[in-house]
């Protein structure tokens, strides 16, 4: 654990974001707070449309033109990102804060070899000569445990497997000494066995090299085993936050509980006996009609009267474990 | 109800855009399994294992290059005329991306009318029947006039299921039918499918790469690797007592057990370059000489499941000793 006097690597405070579509204004998040310490892997879990990708794009300031950050602060290494110019952000993006996307095939340039793509980025950002950049590329590929580096460097992305492409993405993210890697569903497009290898790689490297990871995913299983902390998001609110093991084994918020209960597992099937999977009635709201009070209340099995009018406050349940629910009042 | 015997699907294609050399892709290579009436058979494996191809053959959409598929005792690929049409009515398929299997220019009403009109020529009763079908999948009348893009993934998948049910099928092939959906939506669809099976007696071939999902939904399961079934048996048994090294690794990976990746070496090989002997041997930590030379056949294991591995019992005994 880091000392409490040191500011977190990333600190998001009171962030509010809205999108304007036609005549309507949708509020993606309202007063969102979260932070990431150096060396942590934080899982941001939520279903489609909850705003997790929007949070990632807010951090690196790649939001679409019809969006507006209405309020709040995002600070990285103590500096406010929202105050930076586009030129300053361009220096940060890809170097200090790097993103790894879901489908590596769409992030790797198909007409350049691996060596050409990676070396170019290093040459431009760090001013190295071609031979020096190439040496660095080899070093980075070794770091991500790729075999047969010479061959990989001379290959085109489509000649390599999904798992290898994803490792290359991580190598690229690290080649400019990223302090924060935002991984947006990095393992959805690959198989279970490769998924595990990639996440293990990130876990080892973050300790070895010293960076943090914001892992955005809808897969709770991944988070439970690989992340230090987890933040559960629903309709733009972080409803529960805490260490991964605590939140997974002792969920407090009704949404977290419902999510965990809806996942089919091998254990849930006991021979002929098969309890139906718990489902959450209704559907998630879109950004144009977030319910009053607690956004989850219309679908909550435990709702009280107060839930439909007053938004719950974030409260501390335990050390490092927070939840926003009136049941805790 | 369904018997798959020694199914093979081999493709032959040019090695490259400008090359004349041909390569052979043995997508499915000698698969056999059976599905009993009103039961669910799960087919699990990683991408490229051949599961979708098997599903397509069973549904009569892809012609096998070898083996047979028997539905109610009749060879599916030898059926002609009326018998063939009846088969297609009785075996329906649900695909992974509901948006791409529903016509974007048709309303829900039109989408579900199409199969109904094929079955009977009675227009007047159709709307009532459509509403009944929507009710079966948990959608109300207001959905009749909606277009696919106006509905969520889960709702679209329900429409796809309603459409399949309109044909009054007996067997449904579900190919990654819930893969694109959020977990809570997936739970709703799964509960729906199981409820329909209980009430109406459907038989399912459930294809997925998600072990938790497959084990929960299926009665029996077949684990595929590189075009072959390497282990099959009762669903809860196969995943609580896996006998094949690949099944063991797959299971450990799905639970994110950290040692798993140490047991699995290398990259999954391509279907054009299938290893000699046991297909899994280059990545198996128990591989020996015999594994490199001789392809193991499915044989009965200790608890009633079938495994294709030369060393399954030694591995089991070792595990018992070290446990």
């Amino acid at each position: 654990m880091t000392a409490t006097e040191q500011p977190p690597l990333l600190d998001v405070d009171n962030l509010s974001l809205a999108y304007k579509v036609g005549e309507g204004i949708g509020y993606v998040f309202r007063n969102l707070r979260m932070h990431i310490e150096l060396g942590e892997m934080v899982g941001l879990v939520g279903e489609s449309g909850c705003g997790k990708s929007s949070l990632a794009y807010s951090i690196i300031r790649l939001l679409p033109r019809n969006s507006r950050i209405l309020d709040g602060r995002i600070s990285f290494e103590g500096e406010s990102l929202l105050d930076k110019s586009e030129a300053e952000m361009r220096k940060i993006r890809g170097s200090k804060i790097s993103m790894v996307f879901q489908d590596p095939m769409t992030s790797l340039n198909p007409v350049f070899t691996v060596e050409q793509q990676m070396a170019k980025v290093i040459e431009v950002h760090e001013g190295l000569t071609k031979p020096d950049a190439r040496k660095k590329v080899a070093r980075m590929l070794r770091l991500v445990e790729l075999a047969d580096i010479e061959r990989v460097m001379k290959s085109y992305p489509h000649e390599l497997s999904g798992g290898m492409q994803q490792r290359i993405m991580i190598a690229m993210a690290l080649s400019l000494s990223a302090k924060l890697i935002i991984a947006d569903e990095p393992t959805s497009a690959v198989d279970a066995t490769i998924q595990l290898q990639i996440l293990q790689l990130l876990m080892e490297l973050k300790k070895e090299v010293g960076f943090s990871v914001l892992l955005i995913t809808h897969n709770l299983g991944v988070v439970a085993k690989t992340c230090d902390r987890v933040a559960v998001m629903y309709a733009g609110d972080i409803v529960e936050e805490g260490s991964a093991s605590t939140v997974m084994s002792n969920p407090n918020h009704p949404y977290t509980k419902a999510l965990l209960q809806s996942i089919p597992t091998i254990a849930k099937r006991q021979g002929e006996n098969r309890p139906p999977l718990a489902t959450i009635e209704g559907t998630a709201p879109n950004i144009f009609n977030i319910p009053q009070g607690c956004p989850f209340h219309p679908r909550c099995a435990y709702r009280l009267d107060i839930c439909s009018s007053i938004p719950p406050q974030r409260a501390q349940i335990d050390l490092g474990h927070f939840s926003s629910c009136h049941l805790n009042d | 109800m369904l018997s798959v015997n020694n199914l093979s699907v081999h493709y032959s294609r040019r090695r490259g855009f400008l090359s004349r050399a041909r390569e052979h892709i043995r997508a499915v290579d000698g698969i056999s399994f059976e599905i009993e009436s009103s039961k669910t058979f799960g087919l699990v494996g990683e991408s490229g294992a051949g599961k979708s191809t098997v599903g397509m053959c069973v549904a009569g959409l892809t012609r096998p290059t070898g083996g047979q598929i028997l539905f109610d005792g009749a060879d599916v690929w030898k059926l002609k005329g009326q018998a063939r049409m009846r088969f297609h009515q009785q075996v329906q398929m649900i695909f992974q991306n509901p948006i791409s299997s529903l016509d974007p220019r048709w309303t829900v009403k039109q989408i579900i009318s199409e199969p109904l009109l094929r079955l009977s020529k009675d227009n007047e009763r159709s709307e009532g029947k459509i509403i009944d079908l929507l009710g079966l999948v948990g959608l109300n009348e207001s959905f009749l006039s909606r277009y696919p893009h106006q509905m969520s993934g889960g709702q679209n998948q329900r429409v796809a299921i309603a459409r399949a049910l309109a044909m009054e099928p007996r067997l449904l092939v579900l190919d990654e039918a819930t893969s694109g959906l959020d977990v809570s939506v997936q739970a709703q669809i799964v509960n729906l499918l199981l409820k329909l099976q209980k009430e109406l007696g459907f038989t399912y071939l459930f294809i997925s790469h998600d072990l938790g999902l497959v084990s929960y939904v299926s009665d029996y399961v077949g684990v595929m690797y590189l075009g072959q079934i390497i282990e099959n048996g009762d669903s809860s048994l196969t995943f609580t007592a896996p006998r094949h090294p690949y099944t063991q690794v797959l299971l450990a990976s799905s639970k994110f057990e950290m040692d798993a990746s140490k047991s699995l070496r290398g990259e999954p090989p391509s279907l054009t370059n299938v290893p000699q002997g046991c297909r899994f041997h280059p990545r198996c930590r128990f591989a020996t000489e015999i594994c490199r030379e001789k392809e193991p056949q499915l044989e009965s294991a200790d608890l009633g499941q079938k495994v294709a591995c030369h060393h399954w019992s030694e591995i089991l005994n070792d595990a018992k000793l070290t446990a």
Side-chain angles (χ1 to χ4, degrees):
Chain A
M1 298 303 273
T2 54
T4 44
E5 297 87 44
Q6 197 176 31
L9 178 71
L10 179 79
D11 195 13
V12 176
D13 193 24
N14 213 24
L15 191 67
S16 296
L17 173 72
Y19 286 146
K20 186 169 194 310
V21 181
E23 288 305 315
I25 298 190
Y27 297 95
V28 183
F29 13 92
R30 313 152 291 281
N31 315 114
L32 186 127
R33 293 171 55 172
M34 64 111 51
H35 70 278
I36 303 179
E37 309 280 348
L38 188 59
E40 269 195 315
M41 186 136 108
V42 175
L44 186 59
V45 179
E47 300 185 290
S48 332
C50 73
K52 38 191 211 297
S53 290
S54 291
L55 180 55
Y57 289 118
S58 300
I59 296 169
I60 55 173
R61 305 258 314 273
L62 277 181
L63 290 167
R65 237 174 279 192
N66 63 330
S67 66
R68 192 69 52 83
I69 292 183
L70 302 169
D71 204 357
R73 262 181 36 242
I74 302 178
S75 42
F76 179 70
E77 291 189 319
E79 293 177 6
S80 163
L81 288 183
L82 296 178
D83 291 331
K84 292 208 185 285
S85 68
E86 177 55 25
E88 292 173 313
M89 279 310 296
R90 231 176 290 149
K91 286 221 194 78
I92 295 180
R93 261 181 233 132
S95 59
K96 292 219 177 141
I97 304 182
S98 229
M99 210 152 154
V100 176
F101 297 93
Q102 179 169 352
D103 187 358
M105 267 312 273
T106 54
S107 332
L108 290 171
N109 193 322
V111 301
F112 288 110
T113 62
V114 169
E115 179 182 337
Q116 286 168 334
Q117 297 184 45
M118 289 184 69
K120 190 72 187 179
V121 168
I122 297 171
E123 283 167 43
V124 167
H125 272 262
E126 294 187 353
L128 292 180
T129 60
K130 268 204 172 37
D132 284 338
R134 198 173 303 141
K135 282 206 202 95
K136 185 159 185 191
V137 170
R139 225 177 34 242
M140 298 313 302
L141 293 178
R142 242 189 306 277
L143 190 64
V144 295
E145 296 175 8
L146 276 170
D148 210 356
I149 294 191
E150 283 306 313
R151 183 181 76 89
V152 169
M153 281 172 70
K154 300 254 176 290
S155 303
Y156 288 91
H158 68 268
E159 295 177 317
L160 305 168
S161 73
M164 291 166 93
Q165 288 169 0
Q166 206 56 291
R167 285 175 195 268
I168 291 168
M169 288 299 296
I170 295 174
M172 282 176 86
L174 292 176
S175 54
L176 295 176
S177 314
K179 279 277 174 293
L180 174 65
I181 295 189
I182 302 178
D184 194 351
E185 307 272 13
T187 57
S188 307
V190 296
D191 292 318
T193 48
I194 307 293
Q195 229 184 83
L196 183 60
Q197 290 176 11
I198 303 282
L199 291 169
Q200 245 189 311
L201 178 68
L202 279 174
M203 284 165 77
E204 285 164 11
L205 286 179
K206 77 168 165 63
K207 262 191 282 214
E208 204 181 300
V209 175
F211 58 87
S212 305
V213 181
L214 175 61
L215 180 68
I216 299 176
T217 179
H218 60 268
N219 187 335
L220 285 159
V222 168
V223 166
K225 297 282 182 157
T226 58
C227 294
D228 300 302
R229 272 195 307 124
V230 64
V232 180
M233 212 162 154
Y234 182 81
D237 278 346
I238 290 186
V239 298
E240 186 161 2
E241 193 183 333
S243 80
S245 48
T246 309
V247 173
M248 294 295 130
S249 56
N250 215 13
N252 174 281
H253 195 280
Y255 177 61
T256 315
K257 287 188 185 160
L259 267 190
L260 286 168
Q261 286 164 0
S262 68
I263 301 175
T265 59
I266 296 163
K268 282 186 186 164
R269 195 203 167 107
Q270 305 125 17
E272 286 309 306
N273 238 358
R274 179 172 46 194
L277 297 171
T279 57
I280 312 177
E281 62 170 87
T283 49
N286 63 44
I287 58 177
F288 299 103
N289 46 29
I290 311 272
Q292 289 269 46
C294 170
F296 187 61
H297 87 260
R299 308 174 71 196
C300 183
Y302 307 96
R303 67 174 167 269
L304 309 164
D305 281 333
I306 189 180
C307 302
S308 52
S309 48
I310 306 192
Q313 296 280 40
R314 178 184 144 104
Q316 180 155 16
I317 312 292
D318 214 333
L319 197 59
H321 187 184
F322 299 90
S323 177
S324 303
C325 179
H326 285 300
L327 290 172
N328 295 320
D329 290 346
Chain B
M1 180 196 270
L2 184 85
S3 214
V4 174
N5 297 327
N6 213 26
L7 183 71
S8 287
V9 182
H10 293 177
Y11 297 106
S12 171
R13 65 174 192 203
R14 286 213 299 248
R15 194 172 295 259
F17 188 60
L18 298 170
S19 146
R20 279 218 215 117
R22 298 200 80 95
E23 55 185 12
H24 294 275
I25 301 170
R26 294 152 71 180
V28 177
D29 221 4
I31 296 236
S32 300
F33 63 90
E34 291 188 0
I35 313 183
E36 287 168 36
S37 230
S38 300
K39 295 267 187 231
T40 302
F41 186 84
L43 204 52
V44 71
E46 299 182 285
S47 324
K51 329 182 278 295
S52 290
T53 312
V54 171
M56 301 267 278
C57 288
V58 166
L61 298 171
T62 296
R63 192 178 199 97
T65 49
Q68 5 157 260
I69 298 180
L70 301 174
F71 183 69
D72 278 349
D75 188 333
V76 165
W77 289 92
K78 290 209 167 74
L79 294 173
K80 294 198 193 324
Q82 287 279 24
R84 191 85 212 271
M85 273 180 57
R86 230 185 347 263
F87 167 75
H88 279 297
Q89 173 235 323
Q90 296 184 335
V91 178
Q92 291 288 313
M93 195 150 170
I94 310 266
F95 300 89
Q96 176 169 356
N97 260 327
I99 290 269
S100 39
S101 57
L102 300 177
D103 192 323
R105 286 154 59 235
W106 283 14
T107 59
V108 169
K109 179 168 178 195
Q110 289 169 308
I111 289 171
I112 302 186
S113 308
E114 189 186 20
L116 285 178
L117 290 173
R118 290 217 108 222
L119 269 190
S120 89
K121 311 257 190 283
D122 197 329
N123 282 10
E124 284 158 1
R125 274 189 287 173
S126 285
E127 175 147 338
K129 186 92 203 283
I130 298 176
I131 296 178
D132 285 341
L133 285 167
L134 284 179
L136 268 183
V137 298
L139 294 174
N140 63 42
E141 277 183 50
S142 69
F143 282 88
L144 283 174
S145 53
R146 294 214 205 161
Y147 289 91
H149 70 268
Q150 295 174 315
M151 301 186 290
S152 70
Q155 290 164 340
N156 275 307
Q157 200 61 301
R158 288 171 194 269
V159 170
I161 294 172
R163 177 180 62 179
L165 294 181
M167 292 296 273
E168 293 174 23
R170 292 167 57 213
L171 171 69
L172 283 184
V173 178
L174 298 131
D175 190 358
E176 303 278 9
T178 58
S179 296
L181 308 171
D182 285 326
V183 273
S184 56
V185 177
Q186 174 176 271
Q188 291 173 349
I189 301 287
V190 166
N191 284 348
L192 171 65
L193 289 169
L194 294 176
K195 173 166 161 268
L196 289 172
Q197 183 174 52
K198 196 150 166 224
E199 290 172 9
L200 302 171
F202 293 124
T203 307
Y204 295 140
L205 173 58
F206 193 87
I207 300 170
S208 173
H209 63 273
D210 183 337
L211 269 76
L213 180 60
V214 171
S215 68
Y216 179 81
V217 170
S218 315
D219 299 301
Y220 305 99
V221 75
V223 182
M224 274 186 81
Y225 184 77
L226 271 193
Q228 293 181 324
I229 290 185
I230 49 95
E231 182 158 5
N232 79 22
D234 172 87
S235 151
S236 40
L237 196 63
T238 304
F239 295 121
T240 47
R243 294 289 174 252
H244 195 285
Y246 176 65
T247 315
Q248 293 168 352
V249 168
L250 204 58
L251 190 61
S253 303
S254 75
K255 292 187 191 162
F256 295 95
E257 275 161 34
M258 292 302 144
D259 279 322
S261 55
K262 297 209 180 86
S263 307
L264 189 69
R265 305 197 217 122
E267 292 280 333
S270 83
L271 284 165
T272 53
N273 212 353
V274 172
Q276 291 271 42
C278 170
R279 290 174 190 213
F280 186 59
H281 89 255
R283 302 170 82 200
C284 182
R285 64 184 171 131
F286 303 105
T288 61
E289 199 60 44
I290 188 181
C291 306
R292 287 187 271 277
E293 293 166 1
K294 190 161 166 237
E295 206 178 277
Q297 299 301 317
L298 276 173
E299 59 184 62
S300 293
D302 57 314
L303 296 167
Q305 70 274 65
K306 296 221 168 47
V307 197
C309 174
H310 294 301
H311 299 301
W312 72 265
S313 59
E314 293 146 51
I315 297 170
L316 176 63
N317 289 330
D318 268 348
K320 284 192 181 144
L321 286 174
T322 56

